[in-house]
Amino acid sequence: HMMRAGESLLEAEDVLSTNPLFLTNRDDALSELGTSQVEEACNMMMSNGINPSVVKYSLASKCIDAANIVATKMMVGRNRIVPEFTFMDPRGAGLWDGMPLASTEAAIWAMDAAEAGDEGRNGIPPPNDDGTANESLFEQVTRLRQLMSVLETQYSGDDILLIFPDGTSPALLSCLIAGIPLKNVHALNFSPGELREGVDAGNSRALLRKRLASTEYANALSVGRDELRVLRRKREEELRLLAEERSNRSLLITTDS
């Protein structure tokens, strides 16, 4: 079973946060709405007779909060609430980290749909100098494969609930399970607090067909393409100004000499 943690305080403020150094910051804890979303997911699992024997969660603050709610409401033993330190981290957005969530996420969706390719090797956010990684989908896939290796080795036979901090990670894992080209990953994105029970190849492909045929997804990509052009024009202008500044510095040094 896969779940995205409920809305965080930063998400409520429309801030994209992907730097792993700040994932545990309490500014990214569950909002009041996020708490309600997780409680609703717990109620759904209980009404459907789902009782996870292991809850594996990202070390992001909102995931810690979500796991604690699951443990309390569903009476899962604390020794079965297991943190994951790196393999469930969200994809690093590079220079776009800290920007408005809605518009930047739309741009990333459009970039991946147009450029990522079937294996997710292309389509990379611009680099940053603050330690935030700028990653392709393929780099995120590497972490998820390592996660699955751990789960298969340590928890074979358990009923596992995975709690992710973002909507793309569980969607990406669904693509890997179903053999779906990664350029279509965002058609399967999870919304805050969303729970999908018993994710397998069949239900992932069925959901993909439904989402790809929807006007909502097409409109999201259309908006995203516009936002991507704005972000890239802004980046080009910043690079141009930086080049001019360096050229002027070089000229001054030459003149002084």
Side-chain angles (χ1 to χ4, degrees), residues 91-92 111-112 116 119-125 134-141 143 172:
R91 172 188 184 183
M111 177 184 70
D112 289 337
E119 296 183 349
R121 293 179 181 272
N122 300 311
I124 303 174
N134 60 316
E135 297 180 306
S136 66
L137 289 171
F138 185 78
E139 289 169 286
Q140 198 174 5
V141 162
R143 289 198 294 272
L172 200 53

Side-chain angles (χ1 to χ4, degrees), residues 198-234:
V199 176
D200 59 25
N203 55 35
S204 294
R205 289 173 187 150
L207 180 58
L208 178 69
R209 288 192 295 270
K210 180 181 177 181
R211 293 277 181 88
L212 289 179
S214 71
T215 55
E216 182 180 359
Y217 181 61
N219 291 339
L221 290 184
S222 178
V223 170
R225 285 190 286 270
D226 292 338
E227 296 292 348
L228 183 61
R229 281 192 288 270
V230 170
L231 286 175
R232 285 180 166 169
R233 278 200 298 267
K234 180 180 178 181

